[in-house]
Amino acid sequence: MSHPTPKVDFQWVNTDYTNRVVADLGALDKGGAVLVEAPPGAGKSSLTVSVSKALADADSKLRLPIVTQTNEQADDLVASLLKRHPDLPVTRLVGGAGGSNAMRTLAAANPDLVISSKHDDPAVKGTQVVVATARKWEFVRSGQQQSGLIQGYDLALIDEAYQMRSDALLGIATMFDRLMCVGDPGQLDPFTTIDDALWKGLEYAPSRTAMGTLSAFHPDLTPHQLPLSWRLPPSAAGIVSRAFYPYTGFSAGTDATQRSLALGAGGGAPEDDALDRAAAEGWAYVELPEKLSVRTDAEVATQLARLVRRLLDRGADVVDELDATGRKLEAKDVAVVVAHNDQVHAVRFALSQLSLDPDSLVVSTANKVQGREYEVVLVWHPLAGRRDATAFHLEAGRMCVMLSRHRQACIVVGRAGADRLLAEFPDSDPIFLDEPEKFPDGWEANSLVLDHLAGFKV
């Protein structure tokens, strides 16, 4: 007797992996961990929310800490918890300055939400889920250590664990007997301003990712792999998977017929070819003439601004699996992603010169848009106009973030000669004994991306 094939949609996948993770957590011994790895837009935060709810339902006395890496991530997670499960008692543990405006607004609509800076408040103890940043949890641990009243937890969930440095995990690990860690291995490594060569090769090196340290001490751990991206369209999932996730891979959770970006009529403007190609095929590569330039290349910034201006002037109807009837593309649906802060200022200035409010859309660095998504993304290629290809500009995680924020289309602006840079400047990063080889390799990933973009050159 044949069995019907289950419908593979987001809810089905989320429920399936929630059940798997909860079962593994239930079987964990003290000191154990469950790891979950996921590509961009796979539903990591949704999985964290679902697992939190399942654990809370299974144990009414549970107090579940959730560790995030930034206040924005913590706020987003609290909002998701309350949106999907408004009956779940939640605390947002904040710093001395209090909660954000977003949290205060959310608390006004959800009277049961507790916002407090004090971990031991009776109101906090009356909730089942407590969300705070890693720094806040370390502050809590330090205070308990000084008072001699250590309060441990049976289990904690760590969101975006690949964005967490090892030293941040080591600062709070003694508070929790068991861990569930969720993260995207293709994102940017945690940032440090110091030379970390002294600790390279050590299993507990403070600049390693939290996931890297856990894997080093528990080599038998096999992460769960979320298989689908619900953000990236099929036109993008293939190249992002090949270039940045070569050993696990993933595919798009949607098909090409479910999404479309229908532009308004064009009038022969120079930017129309790029916009039309991006709308039809998901990609466009605007390659300016080869030229050595300063980092804030005014021509690249102006080209990006003109593309944004023309896109918003023409207008577009966005259709996807969430809204089959379609809606108008707004400025907030558009992002310009660059490598450096001074390039952000250059693009914002170019937008203002075209009478476009820079605050009406997102103009930011790759570091700051991790975890975010937009309908259309424009990218300043990191190698544009450079005389050398440094490790910073070739970092696979940076390019991965840049090319994986969009739901509909991505337009890359660069300069000719990037392929020559890759050929003439081979990888010269030092090799450290016992330091795990970093995959994917930035040189190879960037080469694959350039080959892909060459097919969409306008």
Side-chain angles (χ1 to χ4, degrees):
M1 179 179 176
S2 62
H3 296 280
T5 302
K7 180 183 178 182
V8 179
D9 57 15
F10 176 79
Q11 192 58 50
W12 187 91
V13 172
N14 187 64
T15 301
D16 181 45
Y17 277 84
T18 297
N19 293 337
R20 296 188 197 187
V21 169
V22 170
D24 284 357
L25 289 173
L28 272 187
D29 295 326
K30 185 175 180 180
V34 173
L35 310 184
V36 180
E37 294 182 347
K44 297 185 295 295
S45 295
S46 294
L47 180 66
T48 300
V49 169
S50 297
V51 170
S52 301
K53 176 61 173 173
L55 293 172
D57 286 347
D59 183 0
S60 61
K61 297 181 180 180
L62 176 75
R63 289 193 72 209
L64 179 66
I66 298 182
V67 183
T68 68
Q69 311 315 311
T70 67
N71 281 303
E72 291 78 12
Q73 289 171 357
D75 289 352
D76 288 347
L77 193 55
V78 169
S80 296
L81 282 164
L82 293 178
K83 180 179 180 180
R84 290 179 54 190
H85 308 292
D87 58 331
L88 185 63
V90 177
T91 287
R92 172 67 171 96
L93 203 59
V94 298
S100 64
N101 290 333
M103 282 296 96
R104 287 193 287 270
T105 301
L106 190 62
N110 297 269
D112 292 334
L113 171 62
V114 176
I115 301 176
S116 176
S117 62
K118 297 180 180 179
H119 173 263
D120 296 323
D121 270 358
V124 174
K125 292 183 177 181
T127 59
Q128 286 188 281
V129 178
V130 183
V131 182
T133 64
R135 284 181 177 271
K136 182 62 179 180
W137 283 114
E138 188 167 4
F139 179 80
V140 170
R141 180 201 59 80
S142 177
Q144 292 181 348
Q145 203 166 23
Q146 291 175 9
S147 67
L149 300 173
I150 305 297
Q151 177 188 347
Y153 291 90
D154 175 56
L155 172 67
L157 309 186
I158 299 180
D159 195 30
E160 298 293 1
Y162 273 103
Q163 294 179 26
M164 186 183 200
R165 283 208 315 258
S166 175
D167 61 327
L169 174 62
L170 294 173
I172 61 176
T174 55
M175 298 180 69
F176 315 123
D177 292 339
R178 300 176 298 151
L179 291 174
M180 169 192 162
C181 299
V182 184
D184 179 353
Q187 292 192 331
L188 283 159
D189 285 340
F191 180 74
T192 178
T193 58
I194 63 173
D195 182 3
D196 62 350
L198 177 65
W199 304 289
K200 289 287 189 182
L202 298 178
E203 292 179 335
Y204 50 84
S207 56
R208 270 196 187 185
T209 66
M211 289 284 242
T213 296
L214 277 172
S215 298
F217 280 92
H218 302 275
D220 56 327
L221 289 178
T222 300
H224 292 277
Q225 304 283 349
L226 295 183
L228 301 170
S229 172
W230 304 95
R231 174 193 304 150
L232 292 174
S235 60
I239 179 58
V240 173
S241 177
R242 291 195 306 275
F244 306 108
Y245 301 84
Y247 299 109
T248 56
F250 68 91
S251 56
T254 58
D255 61 58
T257 63
Q258 292 179 281
R259 296 184 185 178
S260 67
L261 183 69
L263 295 173
E271 293 74 34
D272 283 339
D273 287 346
L275 293 176
D276 290 336
R277 184 149 201 184
E281 302 181 47
W283 294 95
Y285 182 37
V286 180
E287 187 178 70
L288 302 180
E290 184 171 356
K291 172 184 173 183
L292 294 179
S293 64
V294 296
R295 198 163 70 185
T296 54
D297 190 334
E299 292 179 17
V300 175
T302 299
Q303 182 63 69
L304 287 163
R306 287 176 176 169
L307 286 164
V308 173
R309 174 82 269 181
R310 184 59 178 162
L311 172 63
L312 296 177
D313 283 348
R314 288 180 63 176
D317 290 321
V318 177
V319 174
D320 59 23
E321 70 283 1
L322 302 177
D323 187 355
T325 61
R327 63 178 181 84
K328 294 296 183 182
L329 181 77
E330 301 178 52
K332 66 180 182 180
D333 299 320
V334 180
V336 180
V337 184
V338 302
H340 298 279
N341 284 315
D342 52 7
Q343 292 174 339
V344 171
H345 300 310
V347 173
R348 287 177 61 87
F349 176 76
L351 289 168
S352 65
Q353 292 295 101
L354 297 177
S355 301
L356 187 60
D357 180 6
D359 292 327
S360 63
L361 65 150
V362 173
V363 184
S364 191
T365 62
N367 298 67
K368 295 175 183 176
V369 297
Q370 292 187 101
R372 305 291 181 176
E373 66 180 30
Y374 310 92
E375 297 298 335
V376 180
V377 173
L378 297 94
V379 173
W380 186 325
H381 197 290
L383 296 180
R386 293 195 59 82
R387 65 172 63 249
D388 60 356
T390 68
F392 175 91
H393 298 93
L394 287 177
E395 185 174 358
R398 178 164 287 100
M399 182 61 79
C400 179
V401 171
M402 288 178 155
L403 300 185
S404 62
R405 301 303 96 194
H406 65 281
R407 290 176 54 81
Q408 295 282 353
C410 181
I411 303 173
V412 181
V413 177
R415 284 192 179 277
D419 53 346
R420 178 182 54 77
L421 274 182
L422 290 175
E424 294 180 358
F425 290 86
D427 189 357
S428 60
D429 286 351
I431 298 175
F432 296 90
L433 293 177
D434 297 323
E435 180 70 9
E437 187 69 22
K438 184 172 176 56
F439 289 108
D441 177 73
W443 290 81
E444 183 176 358
N446 273 271
S447 295
L448 287 171
V449 167
L450 280 177
D451 289 344
H452 172 77
L453 292 176
F456 300 92
K457 194 180 299 184
V458 293

